[in-house]
Amino acid sequence: MVKTQKTKPNQDHRLLVIACGMIAREVLAVKEQLGLDHLDLTCLPAEFHFYPDRIAPAMDKAIEKAKAEGYTNIFVGYADCGTGGLLDRICEKHGVQRMAGPHCFAFYQGMDAYAKIADDDMMSFYMTDFLCRQFDAFFMKPLGLDKHPELIKDYFGNYEKLIYLAQTNDPELDKVAEKAARMLGLVYERRATGYGDLTAGMAQAAAVTG
């Protein structure tokens, strides 16, 4: 009996984006916007936003899995996101690129724009479309604010402003952000960012395989 050797599927013509679950909808929107039919998406859990120490080890495994599946073109849909440079070590290990910047709040605004206002925003609490959609699941319930609103001051007392970085124009999300600002006792500001540098980052990564 002749044994057949398994070969890895050829994915050279495709680009795999391994992204934070918090930006999955946005990655797919940019994919459609740019007509990137050769782009595939997989995501790590959005809850890693609260556990940045889990990002680098999980990304290491995800990239290894992707390579085993035959992907040679991989783009990391994360900024540093609190890993303290550990994600960069994983990217360097595997020879892949990631989104530039310290976090998604920066690349949504565009790194040049963010550099000009970062100091002024030091005492600001950022929200995005995702965080507006998931405000209860990501903040109210995990922090116990739904049952113990008196904890708001403990968690948010050092903030001065809530800045909603809006990727889309959705009145319902605006209402969530405005309500959150009132509840937290913060000054409210809305910035229409669109997808910021995510569009350019994905376009550049896709150009390798397009």
Side-chain angles (χ1 to χ4, degrees):
M1 181 177 179
V2 178
K3 290 185 178 180
T4 57
Q5 182 178 2
K6 286 187 176 181
T7 58
K8 292 190 297 185
N10 187 347
Q11 301 283 18
D12 288 346
H13 64 295
R14 303 199 64 79
L15 169 69
L16 178 66
V17 176
I18 306 176
C20 169
M22 286 180 59
I23 69 168
R25 185 187 292 247
E26 288 69 30
V27 170
L28 292 175
V30 171
K31 172 183 177 178
E32 182 177 357
Q33 183 183 86
L34 299 179
L36 304 178
D37 295 333
H38 66 296
L39 185 150
D40 297 329
L41 171 66
T42 188
C43 292
L44 300 186
E47 66 179 21
F48 284 4
H49 175 76
F50 292 124
Y51 309 100
D53 58 306
R54 300 181 186 179
I55 296 174
M59 182 61 68
D60 190 20
K61 292 179 181 178
I63 294 174
E64 289 178 352
K65 181 176 182 291
K67 288 185 173 181
E69 292 172 349
Y71 285 100
T72 57
N73 302 293
I74 299 169
F75 182 67
V76 172
Y78 273 88
D80 178 74
C81 297
T83 69
L86 293 179
L87 184 58
D88 283 333
R89 295 183 188 178
I90 298 302
C91 291
E92 183 178 356
K93 170 184 173 181
H94 293 286
V96 301
Q97 298 294 316
R98 68 164 174 85
M99 282 298 305
H103 41 62
C104 66
F105 307 125
F107 69 65
Y108 273 147
Q109 297 181 84
M111 288 306 301
D112 291 340
Y114 176 74
K116 296 176 182 178
I117 50 82
D119 289 343
D120 291 338
D121 283 359
M122 191 70 69
M123 306 302 290
S124 298
F125 176 69
Y126 286 124
M127 289 185 68
T128 62
D129 283 13
F130 175 90
L131 290 175
C132 284
R133 293 190 186 95
Q134 303 294 330
F135 187 73
D136 285 346
F138 260 63
F139 296 106
M140 294 298 292
K141 293 180 180 178
L143 298 179
L145 302 182
D146 54 336
K147 297 180 179 179
H148 299 283
E150 68 274 10
L151 294 176
I152 288 176
K153 193 170 184 180
D154 293 333
Y155 285 118
F156 296 92
N158 291 326
Y159 290 108
E160 298 174 353
K161 182 189 296 187
L162 185 151
I163 300 176
Y164 171 31
L165 306 175
Q167 284 71 69
T168 57
N169 291 312
D170 187 330
E172 293 305 312
L173 298 184
D174 290 341
K175 291 178 184 177
V176 173
E178 291 168 3
K179 181 180 178 181
R182 288 195 299 271
M183 183 187 70
L184 301 178
L186 303 176
V187 175
Y188 177 68
E189 180 181 339
R190 182 185 190 276
R191 296 177 188 169
T193 66
Y195 303 118
D197 288 348
L198 180 63
T199 302
M202 286 179 54
Q204 184 177 0
V208 177
T209 51

